Amino acid sequence: MGQGAEPRRGHAHDGELGAAVARAQAGDEAAFAVAYRIVQPGLLGYLRGIVGDDAEDVASDAWLEIARDLGRFKGDGAGFRGWSATIARHRALDHLRRQRVRPRSTATEQDVLDLAGPHSTHEQALESISTEYALDLVRGLPRDQAEAVLLRVVVGLDGPAAARVLGKRPGAVRTAAYRGLKRLASQLGAEGVTDDGPRTLGESK
């Protein structure tokens, strides 16, 4: 029954999400609104990390496609989260191909100081990722690290689901996320970052 299940950030509502998606597929518009409310915050954070200020527009395009293709989706709440992230990623990449302008950060030094205290680990630093400044820092990471961090932390996908969205092996995504988190923590001014991340880093030297 709960064997092999691990608590994952962002997955508290996946049971409710799966039920809402099933009802929405049967034509229940109110249920689609429930699914939207559960998924949209993480999706928007992910898109902000990729396209900055244009995230709302890209999210709107993604939701139009999600609504149009909903009947073709098969899976549970976690699966829907991954499926919608894949659609949003395609829309974001299309957007970036059309215009390559990146927004400037308007954060002050105090904003940076507020993000992470001196005893933060990289996990605690990530709690700040929803802030505009942290998302701007994520945009400065190498693309593979940025997307891995956003999918794992902001969207709340597990390793295999994030790997499917990115079309990569789970180990590669896990490694990219860990490296991105470590770099992000150091940029946020966190001290004493410990190596308490994934233990299966053998494939990345």
Side-chain angles (χ1 to χ4, degrees):
M1 230 159 79
Q3 197 174 15
E6 56 181 45
R8 297 189 192 97
R9 185 185 278 116
H11 281 231
H13 297 292
D14 278 350
E16 181 188 354
L17 176 58
V21 169
R23 291 198 310 275
Q25 288 179 314
D28 185 338
E29 289 182 23
F32 186 80
V34 170
Y36 173 87
R37 280 198 301 274
I38 293 172
V39 173
Q40 171 69 350
L43 211 59
L44 199 54
Y46 170 58
L47 290 171
R48 279 205 185 103
I50 301 177
V51 301
D53 291 342
D54 295 325
E56 297 267 3
D57 291 340
V58 174
S60 294
D61 290 344
W63 279 105
L64 286 172
E65 186 172 337
I66 290 165
R68 186 193 71 203
D69 295 343
L70 186 63
R72 298 212 312 255
F73 170 74
K74 288 179 172 51
D76 58 7
F80 182 78
R81 207 182 285 275
W83 181 70
S84 57
T86 300
I87 291 173
R89 180 175 191 259
H90 289 156
R91 295 284 67 77
L93 295 180
D94 287 346
H95 178 83
L96 289 176
R97 274 191 284 272
R98 286 194 301 269
Q99 52 172 288
R100 304 232 165 232
V101 181
R102 273 151 68 131
R104 288 193 304 273
S105 170
T106 56
T108 63
E109 280 184 30
Q110 188 57 44
D111 292 329
V112 181
L113 294 174
D114 289 343
L115 289 180
H119 300 103
S120 295
T121 64
H122 64 265
E123 280 295 320
Q124 289 167 317
L126 280 178
E127 298 300 332
S128 307
I129 238 179
S130 60
T131 68
E132 287 300 324
Y133 184 75
L135 288 170
D136 196 57
L137 286 181
V138 172
R139 284 198 296 277
L141 293 173
R143 170 59 67 82
D144 65 326
Q145 293 179 16
E147 288 208 76
V149 168
L150 291 164
L151 288 171
R152 294 296 306 273
V153 178
V154 180
V155 180
L157 300 183
D158 63 16
R164 281 192 296 276
V165 171
L166 297 174
K168 296 183 176 178
R169 290 179 307 114
V173 173
R174 192 167 52 241
T175 298
Y178 178 64
R179 288 178 173 163
L181 296 184
K182 245 182 140 170
R183 181 182 291 203
L184 183 64
S186 69
Q187 287 176 317
L188 288 171
E191 296 172 6
V193 174
T194 54
D195 191 7
D196 59 357
R199 291 168 201 213
T200 49
L201 290 176
E203 61 231 74
S204 76
K205 276 275 185 220

